Amino acid sequence: WWEGGRPGGTRWVSMADNGIMTPEEKKAQREAAKKAKKAAKEAAAAKKKQRLGEGGGGNKGNKGGGKGKGGGGGGGKEAKDIRLREEYVNPTPKGEKKDITEPLPDSYSPARVEAAWYDWWEKRGFFAAKAEDRHKYKEKFVMVIPPPNVTGYLHMGHALTNAVEDVFCRYHRMDGKQVLWVPGADHAGIATQVVVEKRIKRELGKTRHDLGRDEFLKHVWAWKEEKGGHIFEQLRRLGSSLDWNRTAFTLDDDRQAAVREAFLRLHDMGIIYRSKRLGNWCCTLKTAIADIEVEHVDVAPFTKISIPGYEEPVEFGIIEDFGYDVVEQDGTPVPGPDGKPSVMRISTTRLETMLADAAVAIHPDDERYRHFHGKFVHHPYRNVRLPIVLDRELVKMDFGTACVKVTPAHDPNDYQCAKRHPELEFLNMLTDDGCITDVVPQFAGLPRYEARLRVREDLAAKGRHYGVRGNPMNLAFCERSRDVIEPMLKPQWWMDVEDVSKRAVAAVRDGELKIVPESHRVTWFRWMENSQPWCLSRQLWWGHRINAWLVWPKGEERPDPDLDASWIVARDEAQLHERARAKFQREPEELAFEQDADVLDTWFSSGLFPFAVFGWPRKSADLETFFPIELMETGEDILFFWVARMVMMSLLLMDTLPFRTVYLHTMVRDAHGRKMSKALGNVLDPIDVTEGIRLENLHEKLRQGNLDPREVSKAIEGQKQDFPHGISECGTDAMRFTLCTYTSQGDKINLNVNQIVADRNFCNKMWNVVKFAMRLLPEDFVVDESFSPNTATKIRQEDRWILSCLQDAIVESRRGLDTYNLGHTTGALKTFVLRELCDVHLEMLKPLVYDENGDADLKRSASQTLYVCLDYMFRLLHPFMPFVTEELWQRLPRRSGDRESIMISAYPAPEPTWTNRGVEKQMAAVNEIIATTRKMREDFNLGRQSLAVTLVSQDGAKDMEPLEAFEHSLAKLCMASKVVFSKTSEVDTSSSLVGVVPNSMLRVLVNLHGVDVSQAIASQKKKLATFQKDLARLEGKMSRPTYREKVPQKVQEEDQLKFSTYQESVRVLEKSIADIEKMAS
């Protein structure tokens, strides 16, 4: 058994150590193992008793030893079936190669396997790529990481992203390309600012305004330095082969320079401009909000929801009616058909916004209101007349009263209506924090939902409120604050994306930009063909402060900040002074400068990421070598918010696409298909999955998070249902493999932790395979680097078959990777490893290896075949399972030209000459024979008795000849004392069980002559008694006098079918018992 790494580190163990022993040695070893196992159990029981006596509830924290069973609660109660990561102290100095001359441990331990390898890979420079080395490679493969939030923690969505991206990087690196994967982090303007503001409030009792901008930003930078490295550490633990020397932060000096330059150039091009437009506004955070930060929720009628800043829940899912008096232009009431003043009845879901109504709209073709054309309505609080306008787009004649209030400054549809009717006024009725402005002094200063109640009461007192009805609706929430989004009219910086969106559409239609899966092309076209101006401003302090200044001569009036012409955009102070001097013909000392207080939308800096990470706007060797990148992989939910922005920015600033292919993975949901949410308690930290965690520790993480205290108890209940005892340690390799397998699931990934546990068992299976397979290699094994099934002196058909299977695995693995179908690759590899190599080939190898008189040439070719399978298996799996494959591959014998690490070894190339469909067909027949024989043993409860097996074919010797080559394998796997290949179809079956092999002309005869079949007879009689009992019970039911009249016809038909089935089962079993007894006699 070869256990060394490189030449000089080789160690051979004895044949006894290798498991090839005499019967006496085997017996002694079994006895010793039993004693050791008994002693271990007694020690574990004593340790448990001592721990429980001390009142402990298992090991604290997330660590544990062995299976690590430990309860989530106190009182010594232990959680079942939870395996926690063992406490393992890594003896390898950081950056040094792990010592693999030690014997392979008995069992797979993720903690041991994952230790040391990553630091060694990084120190050896395997992740790095240099521009000056480009001539060494024919091709390059470059990706940039979707930058996670700098102060955040990875969730399973991040784990999926990085698992998939690392698979592609490792695959292309092994395939001989120059690979670069650039790491980075996003400053996450709003998310980071919210977290730090809460911390300051909690620790200092102050707001950011109390501190001032500069002091507040010091706190944010301190927070970033304190927490920012955590997410990079998580990425390392996930095995992400990123070039850490190139780590980019979207708010570092180089990226700030890129952002300022981009804003300057796009403003000079007229693409960025200043304007007052409608956008999403969060009253709690007091800032504009990007669409991706808005969560749309369906709300049932009369639903009460807690809103920040309100003591009592606010009722939504309602619609209410109120009335406006219809008047002439001079204010005279317009009489109705009954002579009374006309009232126009309006339905609304946001009553408070009527304070800023500018008009009422009706459809020009609506005959019910034709007499209101050219009329007005009287506003009861502002004492003004509002025009009744005709609008075909806004009004639906069959919806509600078909009279629509128009509030241009607070509704996107009304905003467009006002654009079509320029005479309408844009009135703002909300302050930045969501209170009523002085547009109506009577309600000024009231929070908007309190104002809603007051307006309702006042209108009712005036006789102009007609009640509240239930109304299902869709509400937009700020995902950060959980406040309801308000459309607000604000002066902001905007980016015109109409023309560049057309270029982006054409790029996809013309095939220049490929989107995978292609189903997302529809979404791309829908969004890009209907793109709207992009709001760039955010009313925050943390972020890229907009490099635009109001400039005016000292002593003169400050210019209107709403106008684009009032601003000067510059990359730095020198350019600002130069441009101001040219505009005003005055020296800077004579001018006043006021920089915009707002920052840019985070997606603006993220949109520059694919080229900003290479030094843009500087012309660098990196930019020339590595841009454009080959692949952009990310979640489907940010196709528009990030991918589209990168395409736009690159087309505008680089005049080329930033990448040629976009691969989108689906959203990770929980096992029930629900979106992962802290409130549901189903959000998973990947490290908790890789290391294992008790239920109580999951609860504690919730309590220490930012979740609203009112939602913590609900989330805890969710955790109890999904993870009743916690989560078992799965290891990084298993989690990566499962996540990649899930990518083929379709439009969503329903993540079941049990599947990751199953793939952890797959790792354990490989571990045991290597331990077992290495014992099968001879003591003097040397790799034959020229070995081929076509040139071997002698080679078994079984070996030809497994190499043919391996060739298929190589082809299918590459097909999946090359077409972004990772699930196809993982499925093909799992089939090869588990079904073909482990379940079949290794079992068929044992008879040859253990046969002391076996053919030496066949043994040599079998050993070479086994080595090839192990070597190729690890290299095929490495992109998915980097740690366990490196650990096991390093322990294989080496070829002369092998690289020092599996991650820089060649990814297996197809070996077409290994394909052997004839042998595969023969092997399929062999597997069917084995399955048929085992089924007969099971059906007749024959256990593991060694019985003679005869194969018979309707075609006689013709079918037998190819199968004779598999005699030893058939005997082993059929548990046969011998296998007879009949040359004729006429054989004596009087003392044999006969089974028909599916899809063939073959029959299997299991000879029972002289065999103790008492257990088989007892088993069959037990089954017979059960069926007889069921038959008698059903017969009694059907013979009742009232059965025909009272039992429904459908039930009678079902009973008759059961009766026939029971009768046939009894007949078959009785005959079977009689046949067995006859054969036994």
Side-chain angles (χ1 to χ4, degrees):
W1 179 13
W2 190 91
E3 295 181 325
R6 295 167 291 182
T10 305
R11 185 173 76 86
W12 296 89
V13 299
S14 70
M15 290 296 285
D17 289 333
N18 198 20
I20 304 178
M21 312 176 192
T22 65
E24 292 77 11
E25 288 175 325
K26 288 182 179 180
K27 182 178 180 181
Q29 188 186 59
R30 284 196 300 270
E31 292 299 326
K34 286 181 181 179
K35 291 179 180 179
K37 188 174 181 181
K38 182 178 180 182
K41 283 185 176 180
E42 291 173 350
K47 186 175 180 181
K48 175 181 174 181
K49 184 177 181 181
Q50 180 184 7
R51 184 175 70 248
L52 297 184
E54 295 169 354
N59 296 322
K60 293 182 179 180
N62 293 351
K63 304 294 183 182
K67 287 195 174 181
K69 292 182 179 180
K77 182 180 179 181
E78 292 197 321
K80 298 178 180 178
D81 303 322
I82 294 299
R83 179 198 299 111
L84 301 181
R85 176 159 292 207
E86 68 168 306
E87 293 283 4
Y88 175 69
V89 178
N90 176 22
T92 308
K94 187 176 178 63
E96 297 301 311
K97 185 176 182 180
K98 184 186 293 188
D99 180 8
I100 43 87
T101 61
E102 293 296 319
L104 196 66
D106 288 337
S107 60
Y108 167 66
S109 164
R112 290 172 177 268
V113 168
E114 294 168 19
W117 289 121
Y118 192 92
D119 292 336
W120 178 63
W121 292 332
E122 186 176 359
K123 184 178 180 180
R124 292 292 296 117
F126 297 153
F127 304 158
K130 298 179 181 179
E132 56 265 32
D133 292 338
R134 58 186 171 183
H135 65 280
K136 299 178 182 179
Y137 302 88
K138 291 183 179 180
E139 295 182 68
K140 68 179 177 71
F141 180 81
V142 183
M143 295 178 69
V144 297
I145 192 174
N149 292 354
V150 67
T151 59
Y153 291 82
L154 292 181
H155 51 63
M156 293 306 290
H158 291 120
L160 171 64
T161 298
N162 285 277
V164 169
E165 292 178 11
D166 194 45
V167 164
F168 288 128
C169 287
R170 288 179 181 269
Y171 166 58
H172 288 289
R173 188 182 290 116
M174 293 177 75
D175 217 27
K177 298 176 185 176
Q178 185 179 30
V179 172
L180 173 59
W181 186 18
V182 182
D186 193 280
H187 63 278
I190 190 167
T192 304
Q193 179 159 317
V194 167
V195 170
V196 177
E197 283 196 74
K198 287 182 178 179
R199 185 188 198 191
I200 291 172
K201 186 68 175 178
R202 183 174 61 251
E203 296 179 359
L204 304 179
K206 295 183 178 182
T207 68
R208 64 180 166 115
H209 298 285
D210 295 332
L211 296 177
R213 186 169 192 145
D214 291 342
E215 187 64 25
F216 174 75
L217 289 178
K218 289 180 182 178
H219 281 268
V220 184
W221 278 107
W223 172 262
K224 183 262 179 188
E225 294 304 317
E226 176 187 344
K227 303 291 185 181
H230 178 82
I231 204 159
F232 292 150
E233 179 58 29
Q234 283 185 297
L235 289 171
R236 283 182 161 90
R237 292 168 72 177
L238 293 179
S240 304
S241 55
L242 293 149
D243 186 349
W244 294 106
N245 296 319
R246 297 176 175 274
T247 303
F249 176 46
T250 54
L251 208 53
D252 62 25
D253 290 343
D254 287 344
R255 259 47 68 183
Q256 288 200 48
V259 167
R260 288 194 297 269
E261 184 68 25
F263 191 87
L264 169 69
R265 293 189 188 184
L266 295 173
H267 183 265
D268 288 352
M269 293 162 64
I271 293 172
I272 288 179
Y273 59 94
R274 182 82 171 178
S275 180
K276 198 171 186 178
R277 297 177 60 93
L278 206 62
N280 301 318
W281 187 265
C282 175
C283 298
T284 296
L285 301 178
K286 291 181 264 191
T287 181
I289 296 294
D291 288 341
I292 195 173
E293 295 163 329
V294 176
E295 182 181 355
H296 293 272
V297 178
D298 290 325
V299 176
F302 300 113
T303 299
K304 292 188 175 182
I305 300 174
S306 296
I307 302 296
Y310 293 83
E311 293 184 4
E312 298 294 328
V314 178
E315 189 171 57
F316 294 95
I318 59 171
I319 190 168
E320 46 195 315
D321 297 341
F322 74 98
Y324 276 130
D325 292 340
V326 183
V327 298
E328 300 285 357
Q329 188 170 7
D330 61 3
T332 305
V334 173
D338 57 359
K340 296 180 180 179
S342 295
V343 176
M344 183 169 276
R345 191 161 172 162
I346 311 291
S347 296
T348 180
T349 59
R350 299 163 67 212
L351 182 62
E352 68 280 4
T353 61
M354 63 86 60
L355 299 175
D357 279 355
V360 173
I362 58 176
H363 197 283
D365 299 335
D366 196 332
E367 294 297 330
R368 294 171 294 175
Y369 303 115
R370 185 167 294 280
H371 58 293
F372 289 158
H373 289 198
K375 307 300 181 184
F376 299 81
V377 297
H378 177 260
H379 196 285
Y381 300 117
R382 305 206 315 267
N383 197 28
V384 296
R385 294 181 301 279
L386 309 180
I388 297 174
V389 299
L390 309 180
D391 197 292
R392 296 178 184 276
E393 295 185 37
L394 182 65
V395 181
K396 303 281 189 298
M397 286 194 292
D398 57 351
F399 183 79
T401 62
C403 300
V404 180
K405 60 189 286 299
V406 181
T407 319
H410 294 281
D411 184 276
N413 294 320
D414 296 358
Y415 177 84
Q416 295 299 327
C417 175
K419 290 291 187 182
R420 295 189 291 273
H421 302 275
E423 72 277 12
L424 299 188
E425 187 177 7
F426 289 80
L427 286 176
N428 178 33
M429 47 80 63
L430 285 179
T431 61
D432 288 354
D433 58 356
C435 293
I436 306 301
T437 65
D438 58 3
V439 66
V440 175
Q442 177 180 345
F443 302 105
L446 286 175
R448 64 196 191 279
Y449 296 125
E450 290 184 23
R452 175 182 294 181
L453 300 177
R454 293 278 294 275
V455 171
R456 183 184 297 162
E457 293 170 359
D458 196 76
L459 286 173
K462 298 177 185 297
R464 288 295 181 264
H465 191 273
Y466 308 114
V468 178
R469 309 187 307 278
N471 176 60
M473 61 192 300
N474 184 275
L475 277 180
F477 288 90
C478 171
E479 68 172 15
R480 301 293 177 187
S481 69
R482 305 310 299 166
D483 199 355
V484 176
I485 291 294
E486 293 288 345
M488 293 274 274
L489 195 63
K490 291 281 186 180
Q492 313 266 26
W493 292 99
W494 297 83
M495 181 169 165
D496 183 359
V497 297
E498 183 177 357
D499 290 341
V500 73
S501 293
K502 293 177 181 177
R503 294 178 64 185
V505 167
V508 174
R509 288 198 191 281
D510 297 343
E512 292 181 72
L513 179 61
K514 182 181 180 181
I515 298 178
V516 181
E518 288 194 354
S519 57
H520 291 293
R521 286 164 52 98
V522 176
T523 305
W524 179 266
F525 295 141
R526 184 177 70 250
W527 281 342
M528 301 305 287
E529 290 173 348
N530 297 280
S531 59
Q532 298 297 315
W534 175 12
C535 178
L536 301 178
S537 304
R538 295 294 179 269
Q539 289 64 43
L540 303 170
W541 289 353
W542 174 248
H544 291 276
R545 190 169 179 179
I546 296 174
N547 48 310
W549 287 261
L550 282 174
V551 183
W552 68 98
K554 291 180 178 178
E556 296 186 12
E557 185 179 352
R558 179 176 179 268
D560 184 355
D562 292 2
L563 302 178
D564 186 83
S566 301
W567 297 83
I568 293 179
V569 175
R571 69 171 61 88
D572 52 31
E573 186 178 90
Q575 188 182 45
L576 172 64
H577 289 170
E578 178 187 341
R579 290 190 167 196
R581 189 182 291 112
K583 180 176 180 178
F584 292 99
Q585 298 299 307
R586 298 191 186 190
E587 290 303 310
E589 296 79 11
E590 304 174 79
L591 301 172
F593 296 88
E594 181 185 322
Q595 187 175 0
D596 193 338
D598 292 347
V599 300
L600 286 167
D601 178 13
T602 299
W603 296 104
F604 188 89
S605 54
S606 299
L608 307 175
F609 205 68
F611 47 94
V613 295
F614 300 121
W616 185 89
R618 291 180 290 105
K619 292 184 178 180
S620 66
D622 281 350
L623 188 64
E624 180 183 350
T625 302
F626 299 120
F627 183 82
I629 66 176
E630 272 59 49
L631 176 67
M632 172 48 60
E633 193 283 336
T634 190
E636 64 183 14
D637 55 321
I638 53 175
L639 173 61
F640 178 72
F641 303 107
W642 188 40
V643 176
R645 268 63 186 276
M646 287 187 284
V647 171
M648 292 176 184
M649 290 297 201
S650 186
L651 288 173
L652 290 169
L653 297 171
M654 305 296 291
D655 197 30
T656 187
L657 290 168
F659 31 74
R660 299 300 175 186
T661 303
V662 178
Y663 172 56
L664 301 168
H665 64 250
T666 58
M667 295 287 289
V668 180
R669 299 176 181 269
D670 69 9
H672 312 291
R674 301 174 303 178
K675 182 178 180 180
M676 288 194 171
S677 161
K678 290 181 180 179
L680 293 174
N682 59 358
V683 173
L684 292 177
D685 182 337
I687 303 304
D688 291 340
V689 176
T690 60
E691 296 190 352
I693 185 172
R694 294 188 179 88
L695 180 62
E696 181 52 40
N697 296 118
L698 284 171
H699 294 344
E700 188 58 30
K701 293 180 77 168
L702 279 176
R703 297 186 187 103
Q704 294 177 359
N706 294 320
L707 195 61
D708 189 308
R710 292 170 293 185
E711 295 183 316
V712 169
S713 58
K714 176 183 175 183
I716 285 177
E717 288 303 313
Q719 288 182 337
K720 288 179 180 178
Q721 291 181 12
D722 287 346
F723 316 110
H725 306 299
I727 301 172
S728 282
E729 173 210 39
C730 297
T732 298
D733 290 314
M735 184 180 69
R736 288 168 55 115
F737 193 84
T738 301
L739 289 172
C740 291
T741 300
Y742 270 128
T743 57
S744 62
Q745 198 176 76
D747 61 346
K748 61 183 178 182
I749 293 175
N750 294 346
L751 179 65
N752 189 333
V753 175
N754 290 333
Q755 182 57 51
I756 306 180
V757 173
D759 284 330
R760 194 248 191 227
N761 295 336
F762 177 48
C763 294
N764 192 62
K765 182 77 170 180
M766 281 196 295
W767 191 270
N768 291 332
V769 164
V770 170
K771 285 182 67 66
F772 173 74
M774 297 283 276
R775 293 192 187 104
L776 300 184
L777 294 179
E779 186 174 349
D780 58 348
F781 179 79
V782 176
V783 179
D784 180 357
E785 299 184 25
S786 64
F787 171 74
S788 165
N790 303 309
T791 59
T793 304
K794 284 185 179 180
I795 187 169
R796 300 181 311 149
Q797 293 293 77
E798 291 91 335
D799 295 324
R800 294 185 188 276
W801 170 76
I802 195 62
L803 291 174
S804 185
C805 293
L806 178 57
Q807 156 66 3
D808 287 344
I810 295 169
V811 171
E812 296 309 315
S813 178
R814 282 181 168 273
R815 176 177 289 124
L817 288 162
D818 292 338
T819 59
Y820 307 100
N821 188 349
L822 300 188
H824 182 83
T825 297
T826 57
L829 295 180
K830 215 168 182 181
T831 295
F832 173 75
V833 175
L834 295 180
R835 297 183 185 175
E836 296 165 347
L837 180 63
C838 297
D839 290 351
V840 180
H841 183 71
L842 291 181
E843 294 300 317
M844 292 183 170
L845 186 57
K846 291 177 185 178
L848 176 66
V849 172
Y850 293 144
D851 184 358
E852 295 181 358
N853 300 316
D855 188 294
D857 289 335
L858 288 179
K859 285 189 174 184
R860 274 193 291 272
S861 62
S863 298
Q864 296 297 333
T865 298
L866 177 59
Y867 168 78
V868 167
C869 288
L870 295 177
D871 174 54
Y872 276 55
M873 174 182 77
F874 294 140
R875 286 190 283 137
L876 288 167
L877 281 166
H878 176 74
F880 300 90
M881 296 177 154
F883 295 107
V884 70
T885 52
E886 183 77 270
E887 180 84 18
L888 295 175
W889 183 84
Q890 289 285 351
R891 296 173 182 272
L892 290 180
R894 295 269 70 84
R895 298 184 181 91
S896 60
D898 277 349
R899 306 293 294 272
E900 61 182 305
S901 169
I902 191 174
M903 73 168 289
I904 55 173
S905 298
Y907 198 79
E911 301 282 357
T913 61
W914 291 1
T915 300
N916 194 323
R917 301 304 179 206
V919 171
E920 288 181 18
K921 184 177 179 181
Q922 294 167 16
M923 195 66 184
V926 168
N927 283 329
E928 291 285 11
I929 292 168
I930 294 168
T932 300
T933 306
R934 288 180 172 178
K935 183 67 167 58
M936 293 163 68
R937 283 181 169 275
E938 179 184 346
D939 288 347
F940 291 95
N941 199 23
L942 297 177
R944 301 184 63 84
Q945 297 181 69
S946 184
L947 308 173
V949 172
T950 301
L951 296 180
V952 182
S953 173
Q954 299 276 17
D955 290 342
K958 180 181 177 183
D959 283 348
M960 288 296 105
E961 291 177 4
L963 298 178
E964 290 178 4
F966 298 92
E967 179 181 355
H968 293 294
S969 296
L970 283 168
K972 168 68 178 175
L973 297 181
C974 291
M975 292 175 281
S977 57
K978 65 176 180 178
V979 178
V980 177
F981 298 89
S982 175
K983 302 298 183 181
T984 175
S985 59
E986 300 298 327
V987 293
D988 180 15
T989 62
S990 60
S991 61
S992 300
L993 296 175
V994 180
V996 177
V997 179
N999 307 313
S1000 74
M1001 303 292 285
L1002 297 170
R1003 287 179 295 159
V1004 177
L1005 278 61
V1006 178
N1007 194 316
L1008 298 183
H1009 183 70
V1011 174
D1012 179 7
V1013 293
S1014 58
Q1015 288 186 350
I1017 293 172
S1019 174
Q1020 297 295 76
K1021 286 184 176 180
K1022 186 176 179 181
K1023 292 180 184 178
L1024 175 62
T1026 300
F1027 279 113
Q1028 287 173 332
K1029 183 178 178 181
D1030 291 340
L1031 181 61
R1033 184 175 62 250
L1034 184 58
E1035 192 172 16
K1037 172 186 175 182
M1038 297 172 67
S1039 62
R1040 292 173 191 162
T1042 58
Y1043 178 81
R1044 297 294 179 189
E1045 293 76 23
K1046 292 187 176 182
V1047 176
Q1049 182 62 34
K1050 184 177 180 181
V1051 175
Q1052 291 187 38
E1053 293 173 359
E1054 292 173 352
D1055 286 346
Q1056 185 59 49
L1057 180 60
K1058 288 179 183 178
F1059 187 80
S1060 300
T1061 302
Y1062 292 159
Q1063 275 189 322
E1064 178 63 16
S1065 298
V1066 168
R1067 186 190 68 78
V1068 169
L1069 284 168
E1070 286 176 339
K1071 184 177 186 304
S1072 173
I1073 292 168
D1075 290 344
I1076 295 174
E1077 289 176 335
K1078 180 180 178 182
M1079 285 185 284
S1081 63

